[in-house]
């Protein structure tokens, strides 16, 4: 039926966390357009004000949960969170096939330059605006050659600029799983019971991501302390670390009743973590031989597409089986990694001692067998694990709505550390994601349904 979406629109719940939002849906032409205007708002609006960007994002989220394509503006009557501006864009696309505003954005060279600069690790909207509007820079080369930019004070930015070619390349799902295994293997030498889970977009079923988010824990409360320091030390001595910043845990019990700090990037938590860039053999992506014949073609295809923004969802590469890729394949991966890691054996001592930009550029442009990838390592104690898993699985929008829902509908404070009942003044424990949803009186949503 032509207007099948019309019936659906009326049934869409107010909160994103009450809906099932898949990664791929029927209205991508509309949500892509809304994402473009959202992005413009994020780049141009002044710091701390992301209300406009949020409005476009929320409108897109409502469309993402429809299972039928929208064919007329009447179809979205009753659909929540569609503001006037978003409605106008949707209407124009439905009537004319395009939006003048989106076309204008696509042709806005100044904006596109800012967008490109924002893809640099360490660059946010204000830096991007300054580089384009004040310093009149247009390319990464301009940035590298600009005498007023030598971010000695901010190592992260220097690495971000120098290794932009590597870091702008998205990480593939298989690579993410291998990175998890590498980290897990190092952790196992410290404590056999440590757990490592891939979270973020990959856990939600994405085939590519801008980084790898690994949540580390231990079944015995307290045994997770000190692990991250030792892990980083081990990874570093194997030459697997390019740059990173360690953040100590700043958690205390009283934080459970307080909201975490809201930033445009999401809500900050108080876990001990390492945010950085790791080095991996370039051939981490090559298909392991033998014993994996049935999956081989699939994996090969994925590698071919590696780095491209969008690919078809590949159902044969188990999306639901998040962390396990089969023990046969596993062995091959480990072997192929060990082989390549000895052949390229990067030494930590070969890294420039300072974060001098020109030194780093030299390193980035040198003949090397490794590629740089963004990795987040987060440590959560067992008692907070279920909440941490929800928080680090995302999406950011899903988390935002969960927290808003908990606060407004249940008078509870939800963070990545726990849930606090404001009326009874006590925290509520949960030992699984299912339990978290249950306590929140919400239907359980698989990670794949949290793509809002
Ligand atoms: P891609 O990496 O682009 O695939 O998307 P992603 O959804 O994985 O995003 P990202 O890696 O930025 O974040 C993963 C999840 O962790 C999101 O749900 C964020 O809300 C959450 N997250 C990221 N950084 C922080 C942080 O500092 N604190 C907390 N609490 N959560 C964070
Ligand atoms: Mn991520
Ligand atoms: Mn991340």
């Amino acid at each position: 039926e032509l207007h099948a979406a019309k019936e659906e629109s009326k049934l869409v719940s107010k909160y994103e966390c009450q809906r099932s939002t898949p990664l791929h849906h029927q209205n991508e032409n509309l949500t892509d357009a809304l994402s473009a205007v959202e992005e413009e708002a994020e780049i141009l609006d002044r710091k701390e004000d992301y209300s406009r960007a949020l409005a476009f994002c929320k409108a897109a989220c409502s469309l993402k949960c429809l299972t039928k394509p929208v064919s007329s503006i009447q179809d979205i009557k009753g659909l929540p969170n569609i503001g006037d501006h978003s409605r106008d864009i949707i209407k124009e696309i439905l009537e004319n096939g395009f939006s003048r505003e989106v076309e204008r954005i696509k042709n806005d060279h100044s904006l596109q330059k800012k967008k490109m600069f924002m893809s640099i690790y360490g660059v946010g909207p204000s830096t991007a605006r300054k580089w384009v509007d004040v310093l009149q820079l247009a390319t990464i080369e301009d940035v590298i050659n600009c005498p007023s930019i030598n971010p000695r004070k901010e190592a992260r930015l220097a690495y971000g600029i120098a290794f932009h070619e590597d870091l702008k390349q998205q990480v593939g799902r298989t690579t993410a799983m291998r990175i998890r295994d590498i980290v897990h293997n190092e952790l196992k030498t410290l404590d056999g019971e440590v757990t490592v889970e891939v979270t973020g977009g990959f856990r939600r079923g994405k085939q590519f991501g801008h980084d790898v988010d690994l949540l580390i824990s231990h079944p015995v409360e307290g045994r997770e302390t000190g692990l991250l320091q030792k892990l980083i030390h081990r990874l570093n001595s194997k030459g697997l670390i390019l740059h990173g910043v360690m953040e100590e845990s700043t958690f205390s019990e009283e934080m459970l009743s307080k909201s975490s700090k809201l930033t445009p990037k999401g809500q900050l938590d108080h876990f001990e973590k390492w945010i950085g860039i790791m080095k991996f053999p370039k051939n981490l992506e090559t298909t392991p031989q033998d014993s994996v014949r049935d999956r081989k073609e699939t994996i090969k295809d994925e590698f071919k597409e590696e780095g491209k923004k969008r690919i078809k969802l590949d159902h044969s590469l188990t999306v639901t089986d998040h962390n396990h890729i089969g023990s046969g394949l596993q062995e091959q991966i480990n072997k192929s990694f060990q082989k390549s890691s000895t052949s390229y054996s990067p030494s930590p001592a070969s890294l420039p001692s300072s974060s001098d930009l020109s030194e780093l550029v030299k390193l980035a442009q040198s003949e090397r067998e490794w590629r740089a990838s963004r990795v987040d390592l987060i440590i959560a104690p067992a008692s907070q694990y279920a909440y941490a898993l929800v928080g680090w699985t995302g999406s950011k929008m899903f988390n935002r709505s969960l927290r808003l829902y908990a606060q407004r509908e249940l008078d509870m404070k939800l963070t990545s550390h726990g849930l606090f009942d404001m009326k009874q003044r006590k925290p509520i424990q949960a030992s699984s994601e299912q339990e978290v949803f249950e306590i929140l009186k919400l239907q359980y949503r698989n990670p794949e349904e949290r793509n809002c």
Side-chain angles (χ1 to χ4, degrees):
E1 213 224 307
L2 187 62
H3 293 291
K6 195 171 181 174
E7 294 311 306
E8 263 196 311
S9 289
K10 296 177 202 154
L11 302 170
V12 172
S13 317
K14 188 164 103 183
Y15 294 99
E16 288 81 3
C17 60
Q18 292 172 315
R19 320 169 188 158
S20 174
T21 312
L23 193 54
H24 296 282
H25 57 89
Q26 297 299 316
N27 291 289
E28 288 182 7
N29 60 331
L30 300 177
T31 56
D32 285 352
L34 292 171
S35 297
V37 283
E38 177 198 344
E39 198 167 48
E40 187 195 38
E42 192 190 324
I43 296 171
L44 298 185
D45 287 358
R46 65 167 207 288
K47 219 178 163 185
E48 307 288 322
D49 178 19
Y50 40 93
S51 57
R52 236 163 44 94
L54 192 64
F56 292 123
C57 185
K58 286 172 74 172
C61 285
S62 292
L63 291 166
K64 286 178 189 174
C65 73
L66 297 176
T67 66
K68 307 281 174 5
V70 170
S71 51
S72 114
I73 197 70
Q74 295 304 317
D75 291 354
I76 58 164
K77 221 175 148 196
L79 191 65
N81 302 333
I82 309 284
D84 290 343
H85 195 159
S86 296
R87 183 179 308 275
D88 289 345
I89 292 167
I90 296 167
K91 190 161 177 272
E92 197 183 342
I93 294 173
L94 291 172
E95 286 170 2
N96 305 332
F98 69 97
S99 145
R100 281 164 299 169
E101 190 168 8
V102 174
E103 294 308 305
R104 196 238 329 130
I105 288 170
K106 280 189 202 155
N107 294 313
D108 182 336
H109 299 297
S110 161
L111 185 76
Q112 293 306 321
K113 280 176 221 157
K114 289 168 193 159
K115 187 181 156 178
M116 187 274 290
F117 285 145
M118 275 180 63
S119 71
I120 299 172
Y121 179 46
V123 174
S126 61
T127 304
R129 285 197 299 261
K130 186 179 142 201
W131 287 1
V132 176
D133 297 337
V134 182
L135 299 174
Q136 312 267 307
L137 309 177
T139 63
I140 298 285
E141 283 66 43
D142 292 347
V143 173
I144 292 170
N145 296 323
C146 179
S148 61
I149 299 175
N150 193 358
R152 285 175 190 282
K153 281 165 285 167
E154 213 197 324
R156 183 178 67 151
L157 180 58
Y159 281 90
I161 296 166
F163 288 90
H164 181 247
E165 276 303 312
D166 281 39
L167 299 178
K168 76 175 185 198
Q169 181 107 353
Q170 295 210 54
V171 181
R173 186 178 185 81
T174 310
T175 305
M177 296 311 171
R178 293 189 192 186
I179 291 174
R180 183 205 85 106
D181 295 333
I182 291 161
V183 168
H184 198 190
N185 284 338
E186 291 307 323
L187 281 165
K188 274 191 244 173
T189 66
L190 301 168
D191 190 320
E193 288 176 275
V194 185
T195 61
V196 185
E197 191 149 8
V198 180
T199 61
F202 290 113
R203 189 159 183 264
R204 301 196 308 275
K206 282 173 68 176
Q207 297 294 327
F208 294 98
H210 93 284
D211 69 353
V212 182
D213 305 289
L214 298 177
L215 186 59
I216 300 163
S217 191
H218 194 290
V220 182
E221 183 88 6
R223 290 260 294 272
E224 78 287 350
T225 48
L227 280 177
L228 189 58
Q229 291 272 358
K230 289 181 197 144
L231 170 68
I232 296 301
H233 187 83
R234 285 193 68 93
L235 292 171
N236 193 41
S237 67
K238 292 209 164 174
L240 292 171
I241 285 179
L242 182 61
H243 165 76
V245 176
M246 191 84 121
E247 285 176 33
E248 280 173 35
S249 165
T250 51
F251 176 77
S252 66
E253 291 289 326
E254 17 341 329
M255 274 158 192
L256 285 174
S257 59
K258 299 198 183 79
S259 297
S260 44
K261 194 178 170 229
L262 189 72
T263 73
K265 287 274 152 223
Q267 253 158 335
L268 297 182
D269 61 38
H270 304 276
F271 290 118
E272 179 184 16
K273 54 175 89 71
W274 181 86
I275 308 280
I277 305 169
M278 286 181 68
K279 294 153 81 180
F280 296 102
K282 273 185 180 150
N283 61 356
L284 198 59
E285 285 100 23
T286 51
T287 312
Q289 299 302 307
D290 317 319
S291 81
V292 284
R293 252 169 228 121
D294 50 340
R295 290 192 179 193
K296 209 165 155 183
E297 285 314 308
T298 311
I299 294 160
K300 245 203 213 143
D301 283 342
E302 195 191 349
F303 295 145
K304 253 187 254 154
E305 300 287 345
E306 181 111 9
K308 283 192 188 160
K309 253 199 127 162
R310 203 183 262 174
I311 57 145
K312 284 197 183 72
L313 188 67
D314 188 8
H315 293 285
S316 54
L317 200 79
T318 53
V319 170
T320 39
D321 185 7
H322 296 112
N323 287 332
H324 308 287
I325 20 183
S327 56
L329 181 57
Q330 196 58 73
E331 240 167 55
Q332 295 297 325
I333 286 166
N334 293 343
K335 251 190 238 158
S336 84
F337 176 67
Q338 272 154 19
K339 238 188 268 159
S340 45
S341 75
T342 47
S343 71
Y344 85 104
S345 65
S347 105
S350 71
L351 289 181
S353 51
S354 74
S355 57
D356 182 81
L357 186 53
S358 59
E359 288 286 301
L360 289 177
V361 170
K362 242 184 267 166
L363 175 67
Q365 291 174 351
S366 67
E367 190 82 43
R368 57 188 161 92
E369 286 169 296
W370 50 272
R371 92 162 246 209
S373 302
R374 274 273 300 109
V375 175
D376 290 340
L377 304 171
I378 303 96
I379 300 270
S383 62
Q384 299 173 22
Y385 190 74
Y387 292 105
L389 188 54
V390 172
W392 278 87
T393 298
S395 67
K396 278 158 201 139
M397 195 58 166
F398 190 85
N399 287 344
R400 188 187 168 278
S401 83
L402 266 184
R403 289 164 194 206
L404 219 56
Y405 163 89
Q407 192 169 358
R408 292 194 184 154
E409 306 298 322
L410 307 173
D411 199 11
M412 288 181 181
K413 277 278 188 309
L414 175 70
T415 66
S416 290
H417 301 278
L419 185 63
F420 193 88
D421 189 323
M422 300 303 280
K423 276 203 278 306
Q424 300 189 36
R425 303 297 309 168
K426 65 164 200 221
I428 306 170
Q429 299 293 327
S431 55
S432 68
E433 283 192 310
Q434 280 81 356
E435 230 180 285
V436 173
F437 281 78
E438 219 170 278
I439 298 164
L440 291 171
K441 301 186 176 74
L442 287 169
Q443 187 183 330
Y444 177 70
R445 299 291 173 195
N446 288 320
E448 290 86 351
E449 299 177 276
R450 304 180 203 162
N451 284 296
C452 40

